[in-house]
Structures are given as C-alpha cells and as structure tokens.
C-alpha cells in the first residue's frame, strides 16, 4: 500500500482511540531505518507512523549539507516509494520542531504540501509537530493556532506539546522537575484556544513525567492518571468523552502497566527513538566483534569483503530494528490491527 492518505490517517487515529490501542511512531534517519521500520510494522500486521526530526532531516540530506527541508522531502519521497511493497498503512510525521524551526522547517514543508494538495496530490507529510514546550503556554497556543490553520489547508494534522518532556532530544533540553506534569488548567486552555477539531485536527502530547533518553524502569516517575484527569475535565466542559487524541513522548524505560494505562486514557501514538537506535546498532557491534579479522585488514592482511560489505551488517541492523518495532506494536496493542 502507499503512504496513508489524509482520510486513512484520520481513520487510523479514530480506530486506535475506539479500540484502545496506539501506533508506534518510529524516528528514522536513513533509507535503512525507513525500510526496517516499515518491515517491522508489516511483520506485526500493524499500521504505523515513521517520523523524522530536524536533526534526522539534516542528516538524511547529507551530513555535510544539513538542509533540513531537503532532507525531509527526500525522506517523504523515499518512503512513498518503498511503502508500496507492504500491506500496511504508514503515516509520515515530522517530530519536535522548536520555535526556531517553525519558520524554516515546518512552514516550508506545509507550503509544499499545500501546493501539492491544490494540484490534486497528497501532502508530503500526514502530520507535523510544533514543540512549544520551551515557551510560555499562551505563546505555545498562539503559534499552534496559526499552524493549525496552515496544517488544515495542507490536509495535515498538527501535533502539539503542552507541558514539558525532560531530558534532551535534538537540542531541545529540559530539566527533570515538576514542570514535567501538564495540569488540568493547561488542558482546558488548549481546548479553548484550538477547539476540539472544528478548526482543524490536532493531536496533543500532554506530559505526565515523560523524559527523553535512556532510563531503567522505575527511574522515571510517570503519572498516567494525569491524562485521565485532563480528559475528564475537558470532556465534562465540552460534553465529549476523551476529547483529546494523545501522544506519549519520552517512553524509554516505561513499564507495561504505565504504557497500558496511558493508552487506556487516550494515547494513540507513542514515540520510540532511543530503543530503536540501540536495536539497530547492537547487531552491528556484534558483527564487528565477531568478524574482527574480516572487517579490518589486520597486520597487512586483506580482510573479508563479505564481512565488511555494508549490506552484511546492514541487514542485521535492519532486522534488529524491525524486531523492536514488532515488540512495540505488541506493547501498544496495534499488532494485528492493520486496516484490511
């Protein structure tokens, strides 16, 4: 199947919300990780989301070029082509755009998508994230309101973050403190500023102790009940059950119980990056150590071309990432839930 159309992406979100499951959203940086992520979704019989950050987009454009718009366009074009070989729906998303990336990354991509839509085509991306966690809430929502209108014109969905995710990702860093917990008042302000879909569809990352990076279970103090409380308060005011479509950021080290509770409270998308990076790299390390004399020309020898051929270790890396995607789909209950 090709990349999900705007209509299919909306259906994916609705199905996840109604069925109490969520889609893994896998950060990718290359053709190999794109292929591996889509393969993992297909093996899990799960529709899914692949996404690229500003740093990932710069990398995919060429490490010495660092053109994040061109890299994002290249990512979209490659994904559109290879996804046709699989029987699952894949949505494309841009991740974590802080304020300085709005004008020079998100808006240019939305403009390109709008032009494609006007000409009868599909948008480059199904959704884009505005990360306003580093600015005051009123400024966050003001920027979100502007982007929501632009996204609607481009037939794309906007993702916003209300609250703060701790740790660091692509240069966006926050301390681990009480600011990691979104309040009911924040949720009510969001609904008042952006509506609940009538002005354009958006999904929202409410924070409940989330932290980017590598942590063992128990080190991050998640409080999924915050999501329940915000959904209930906003729902009561507007007469709508679970009014927000929620996103789970910074989930490395989360327990199965915490993930399950978050999904029950309305999470339909969970970002996964740290774990899949390791799953991709670990088999390569094993290959290099196991085939030390082959991948290196030790003591003037010639090595073993079959060992250092990038395809030899690249296939192992892709298989490792794909396996982790299957595991994520099983944890989030999206496995076996693909649109038939």
């Amino acid at each position: 199947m090709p990349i999900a159309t705007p209509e299919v992406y909306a259906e994916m979100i609705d199905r996840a919300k109604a069925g109490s499951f969520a889609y893994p959203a896998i950060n990718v940086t290359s053709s190999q990780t794109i292929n591996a992520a889509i393969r993992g979704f297909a093996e899990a019989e799960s529709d899914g989301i692949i996404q690229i950050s500003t740093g990932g987009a710069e990398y995919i454009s060429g490490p010495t070029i660092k053109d994040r718009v061109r890299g994002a366009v290249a990512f979209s074009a490659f994904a559109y082509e290879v996804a046709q070989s699989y029987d699952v729906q894949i949505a494309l998303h841009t991740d974590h755009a802080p304020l300085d990336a709005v004008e020079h990354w998100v808006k240019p991509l939305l403009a390109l998508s709008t032009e494609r839509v006007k000409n009868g085509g599909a948008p480059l991306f199904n959704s884009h994230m505005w990360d306003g966690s580093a600015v005051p809430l009123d400024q966050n929502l003001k920027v979100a309101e502007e982007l929501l209108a632009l996204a609607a014109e481009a037939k794309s969905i906007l993702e916003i973050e209300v609250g703060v995710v701790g740790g660091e990702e692509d240069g966006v860093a926050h301390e681990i403190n009480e600011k990691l917990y979104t309040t009911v008042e924040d949720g009510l302000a969001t609904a008042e500023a952006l509506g609940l879909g009538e002005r354009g569809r958006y999904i929202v990352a409410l924070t409940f102790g989330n932290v980017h990076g590598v942590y063992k279970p128990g080190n991050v103090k998640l409080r999924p009940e915050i999501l329940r409380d915000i959904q209930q308060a906003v729902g009561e005011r507007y007469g709508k059950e679970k009014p927000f479509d929620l996103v789970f950021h910074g989930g490395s080290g989360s327990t199965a119980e915490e993930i399950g509770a978050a999904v029950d409270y309305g999470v339909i998308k969970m970002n996964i990056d740290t774990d899949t990076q390791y799953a991709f790299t670990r088999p390569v390390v094993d290959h290099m150590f196991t085939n030390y004399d082959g991948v290196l020309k030790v003591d003037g020898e010639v090595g073993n071309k079959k060992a250092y051929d990038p395809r030899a270790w690249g296939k192992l890396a892709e298989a490792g990432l794909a396996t982790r995607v299957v595991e994520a789909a099983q944890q989030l209950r999206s496995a076996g839930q693909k649109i038939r």
Side-chain angles (χ1 to χ4, degrees):
M1 295 181 184
I3 296 300
T5 63
E7 294 76 19
V8 168
Y9 188 39
E11 181 185 354
M12 285 170 58
I13 294 173
D14 291 341
R15 291 181 75 248
K17 186 83 160 288
S20 293
F21 65 89
Y23 299 105
I26 308 300
N27 281 73
V28 296
T29 56
S30 65
S31 60
Q32 283 188 300
T33 50
I34 292 169
N35 277 328
I38 298 175
R39 169 184 165 182
F41 286 121
E43 290 178 354
E45 295 190 343
S46 168
D47 301 315
I49 301 165
I50 56 174
Q51 56 191 27
I52 195 163
S53 64
T54 53
E58 289 178 356
Y59 181 79
I60 209 170
S61 76
T64 62
I65 303 300
K66 296 185 177 181
D67 185 331
R68 59 181 62 168
V69 172
R70 178 160 290 168
V73 172
F75 157 78
S76 177
F78 184 85
Y80 262 93
E81 189 62 33
V82 298
Q84 295 182 59
S85 298
Y86 297 88
D87 63 349
V88 290
Q89 296 284 349
I90 301 297
L92 305 183
H93 177 76
T94 63
D95 191 27
H96 282 288
L99 188 60
D100 62 358
V102 169
E103 293 294 332
H104 303 293
W105 195 47
V106 175
K107 285 186 177 179
L109 292 174
L110 283 171
L112 288 171
S113 286
T114 299
E115 189 64 27
R116 286 165 61 103
V117 168
K118 287 180 179 178
N119 292 327
L124 284 168
F125 288 87
N126 298 96
S127 51
H128 297 271
M129 182 189 177
W130 147 234
D131 183 353
S133 60
V135 301
L137 182 61
D138 57 349
Q139 183 182 4
N140 182 350
L141 295 177
K142 184 177 180 180
V143 174
E145 190 173 3
E146 179 190 6
L147 290 176
L148 185 61
L150 294 175
E153 190 176 3
K155 289 191 175 182
S156 297
I157 291 173
L158 180 67
E159 179 183 327
I160 65 171
E161 184 172 305
V162 177
V164 172
V165 175
E168 187 273 335
E169 182 175 44
D170 267 340
V172 179
H174 295 293
E175 294 181 3
I176 300 174
N177 53 38
E178 279 300 310
K179 293 182 180 180
L180 305 186
Y181 302 98
T182 308
T183 67
V184 167
E185 290 72 24
D186 294 337
L188 290 168
T190 299
E192 182 177 353
L194 304 181
L196 291 174
E198 66 276 10
R199 305 176 207 172
R201 189 160 192 174
Y202 66 95
I203 56 180
V204 56
L206 301 177
T207 59
F208 52 104
N210 318 61
V211 179
H212 289 131
V214 184
Y215 299 90
K216 293 181 179 180
N219 283 17
V220 176
K221 305 303 180 185
L222 293 179
R223 290 161 48 192
E225 65 274 10
I226 286 175
L227 305 180
R228 176 200 63 203
D229 295 344
I230 293 174
Q231 292 277 44
Q232 182 175 340
V234 176
E236 287 177 353
R237 176 168 294 187
Y238 291 92
K240 187 175 182 179
E241 185 180 1
K242 292 182 185 177
F244 289 132
D245 299 322
L246 300 179
V247 181
F248 188 160
H249 286 229
S252 295
S254 302
T255 66
E257 292 76 18
E258 290 166 338
I259 292 172
V263 173
D264 288 338
Y265 298 144
V267 164
I268 51 84
K269 171 180 181 279
M270 179 175 176
N271 290 9
I272 302 174
D273 186 15
T274 301
D275 289 355
T276 47
Q277 287 178 349
Y278 184 78
F280 185 83
T281 301
R282 181 63 181 82
V284 180
V285 174
D286 182 69
H287 176 83
M288 297 302 174
F289 283 140
T290 303
N291 297 280
Y292 182 82
D293 292 343
V295 297
L296 294 177
K297 297 182 179 182
V298 179
D299 295 332
E301 294 297 328
V302 297
N304 182 350
K305 183 179 183 302
K306 291 183 178 180
Y308 59 73
D309 183 333
R311 291 168 294 185
W313 49 264
K315 291 176 183 177
L316 300 174
E318 290 186 29
L321 194 156
T323 297
R324 183 62 183 85
V325 172
V326 172
E327 179 184 335
Q330 292 169 342
Q331 284 182 319
L332 294 171
R333 312 171 192 158
S334 69
Q337 297 282 356
K338 69 177 183 178
I339 296 175
R340 304 291 176 177

